[in-house]
Amino acid sequence: MSSEWPLYEVFVRGKRGLNHVHVGSLHAADDEMALHHARDLYTRRNEGVSIWVVKAADITASSPDEKDPFFAPSGDKVYRHPTFYDIPDDVPHM
Amino acid sequence: MTATLSEPDLERHFEGTIARDARIEPRDWVPEGYRKTMIRQIAQHAHSEIIGMQPEGNWITRAPSLRRKAILLAKVQDEAGHGLYLYSAAETLGADRAELTEKLVTGRQKYSSIFNYPTLNFADVGVIGWLVDGAAICNQVPLCRSSYGPYARAMIRICKEESFHQRQGYELLMTMMKGTEQQRRMVQDATDRWWWPSLMMFGPPDADSPNTAQSMAWKIKRHTNDELRQRFVDMTVPQAEALGVTLPDPELRWNPERGHYDFGEIDWTEFKRVLSGAGPCNAERVAHRRAAHENGAWVREAAAAHAAKSRRGREKAA
């Protein structure tokens, strides 16, 4: 049996009101140990109020190599941005 | 829907990202040389943090007060943390952590030559914080803008924490300088021993640093070794004056024309000798790291066995 501990990715919520943000990775034997290691490694100075850990192998990611076609559906929809619309300057609260 | 780009296209895309000063991120295509250089630099840096726990760890049980002991424990724990941030960054480039450790304990990858010097008295703890961590900060602040994203982000965390390291060291020395004549002599003695090795931390002179040009072109490095060394000297001289110690270099003096301090010739033969393994503590440092790794094997195996057993239990219950 391999004694290699799997790689976990770590996400920390810096404070209430913020999203969890990826901060790095670590190795741990299981989920619970991963949480403890994440606390010791990434929040030694109150950097977080909540931690997520997830096995790196369980993450599905888009690949940078397919960047252009993958994000193309959002690239050509300028009308999704407020600046697409011309509104006269004197119309308030727009 | 993978768009397969040709190698010259990928190369152009990579060069464009660097030229725009944008960061390279994991899974981006990078030239093999960039990957290798980056892994080598990050691993060497990680190893330095891990080996760097030893010289100061030496004094944890002999710290003169509970306050100093708590500070020293926190600092050494930080060094471990820095090593782990960096191993984590190296892994995003496809390096394997177990393999990196293996390379360290078998001497196939290097770490900073500074950690091959012994810590002979408690003032060494202060001087390491002041000079060694000071030099590290000088080196590392520009690396926060290094082109490889995970490395740059690790450096940002590390620099924040190094500031505590440097200040605790300087404060320790100020306290000793206000003490007895013997304590002041200890500070001067430690300063004499660590000054030149600290200057060597910036690496060989530019003329003798074959990798610098490529690393600057890839924006892995932002300044040359000699530029950073000069910056460190300029920063440190007034700190030494404020502390009341003499830096052991008779040629050290302000040069108004250059607007910098001139300093004496570094003994590069010693640097090469220590780097090649013949420093006072090389064998001891690596042997200690290897023993810690081997003695911890049963813990890693037991934890993996426990995790496998719990997993089987859960699968049966489901």
Side-chain angles (χ1 to χ4, degrees):
Chain A
M1 188 200 63
S2 164
S3 63
E4 280 283 296
W5 293 353
L7 185 69
Y8 282 83
E9 298 295 336
V10 181
F11 301 79
V12 170
R13 184 197 297 286
K15 59 181 182 186
R16 290 174 182 279
L18 297 180
N19 287 319
H20 283 75
V21 172
H22 181 245
V23 292
S25 67
L26 49 80
H27 288 265
D30 57 29
D31 299 355
E32 199 188 338
M33 186 194 273
L35 263 187
H36 282 121
H37 282 181
R39 178 201 58 192
D40 293 346
L41 185 56
Y42 291 107
T43 60
R44 286 195 302 284
R45 290 176 175 78
N46 301 318
E47 290 96 334
V49 294
S50 160
I51 301 174
W52 291 345
V53 291
V54 56
K55 279 205 184 90
D58 289 339
I59 291 181
T60 308
S62 67
S63 163
D65 290 349
E66 62 192 40
K67 177 167 83 170
D68 293 340
F70 190 76
F71 291 106
S74 85
D76 64 357
K77 293 182 178 61
V78 283
Y79 48 85
R80 283 181 171 165
H81 297 277
T83 46
F84 178 72
Y85 302 94
D86 279 331
I87 307 282
D89 289 344
D90 52 3
V91 177
H93 306 302
M94 286 287 275
Chain B
M1 55 174 195
T2 305
T4 319
L5 297 173
S6 67
E7 182 133 342
D9 283 340
L10 290 166
E11 181 112 36
R12 249 194 310 281
H13 182 69
F14 168 82
E15 296 291 351
T17 307
I18 300 271
R20 281 199 318 279
D21 232 348
R23 298 289 178 265
I24 302 297
E25 293 295 347
R27 306 185 67 194
D28 274 336
W29 183 93
V30 297
E32 215 30 51
Y34 181 88
R35 183 183 304 280
K36 270 198 196 140
T37 304
M38 217 55 248
I39 290 178
R40 194 188 57 222
Q41 180 169 336
I42 299 174
Q44 198 165 310
H45 195 159
H47 296 332
S48 302
E49 300 281 359
I50 295 296
I51 295 289
M53 289 193 279
Q54 292 184 41
E56 290 176 284
N58 185 35
W59 284 93
I60 290 175
T61 55
R62 287 172 285 170
S65 67
L66 187 56
R67 179 176 182 269
R68 292 292 170 200
K69 184 170 179 160
I71 291 170
L72 194 51
L73 268 171
K75 176 170 193 273
V76 172
Q77 191 193 9
D78 273 353
E79 309 292 1
H82 297 176
L84 296 178
Y85 304 156
L86 289 161
Y87 284 131
S88 157
E91 279 180 301
T92 63
L93 287 156
D96 177 78
R97 190 172 309 199
E99 202 177 300
L100 296 177
T101 302
E102 190 59 28
K103 282 183 176 159
L104 170 63
V105 300
T106 53
R108 280 177 295 153
Q109 271 179 347
K110 293 198 188 315
Y111 54 89
S112 175
S113 64
I114 192 83
F115 301 115
N116 291 315
Y117 292 88
T119 41
L120 302 181
N121 80 52
F122 193 70
D124 287 41
V125 171
V127 170
I128 287 178
W130 172 38
L131 295 180
V132 176
D133 293 320
I137 291 171
C138 235
N139 250 333
Q140 290 169 358
V141 166
L143 293 176
C144 296
R145 293 185 298 122
S146 181
S147 61
Y148 189 57
Y151 186 47
R153 292 191 287 274
M155 293 319 309
I156 291 172
R157 294 185 72 92
I158 290 175
C159 285
K160 274 188 199 159
E161 299 180 356
E162 289 287 356
S163 169
F164 141 60
H165 296 181
Q166 193 188 24
R167 290 173 68 100
Q168 67 81 35
Y170 196 78
E171 187 226 46
L172 189 162
L173 298 174
M174 288 197 314
T175 308
M176 287 186 82
M177 290 303 282
K178 282 183 233 145
T180 63
E181 188 48 42
Q182 196 188 0
Q183 284 176 307
R184 279 188 286 278
R185 273 205 305 275
M186 284 163 75
V187 175
Q188 184 62 56
D189 167 59
T191 305
D192 291 346
R193 283 180 288 107
W194 288 96
W195 172 248
W196 291 105
S198 299
L199 293 187
M200 295 175 196
M201 283 177 71
F202 296 92
D206 294 348
D208 195 20
S209 177
N211 301 323
T212 293
Q214 181 61 76
S215 287
M216 302 267 288
W218 277 331
K219 297 185 184 169
I220 294 173
K221 278 173 85 159
R222 297 286 183 156
H223 304 281
T224 70
N225 297 351
D226 286 334
E227 283 166 15
L228 291 168
R229 193 171 3 250
Q230 181 70 60
R231 186 179 295 181
F232 174 69
V233 171
D234 292 346
M235 276 170 33
T236 309
V237 173
Q239 294 169 351
E241 282 165 7
L243 195 59
V245 294
T246 312
L247 296 172
D249 178 359
E251 292 172 55
L252 187 67
R253 67 178 60 85
W254 178 251
N255 181 332
E257 268 164 51
R258 291 202 310 128
H260 292 290
Y261 284 92
D262 289 336
F263 54 98
E265 185 65 27
I266 292 167
D267 182 357
W268 294 112
T269 344
E270 175 182 323
F271 175 72
K272 283 180 187 139
R273 191 169 52 78
V274 174
L275 207 58
S276 69
C281 301
N282 296 57
E284 181 189 329
R285 299 291 188 233
V286 172
H288 186 84
R289 180 67 192 98
R290 189 185 306 124
H293 184 62
E294 286 168 3
N295 295 339
W298 71 270
V299 179
R300 295 191 294 278
E301 285 159 17
H306 174 73
K309 192 177 158 193
S310 317
R311 200 164 46 241
R312 278 197 303 276
R314 273 197 308 276
E315 279 162 11
K316 215 177 278 175

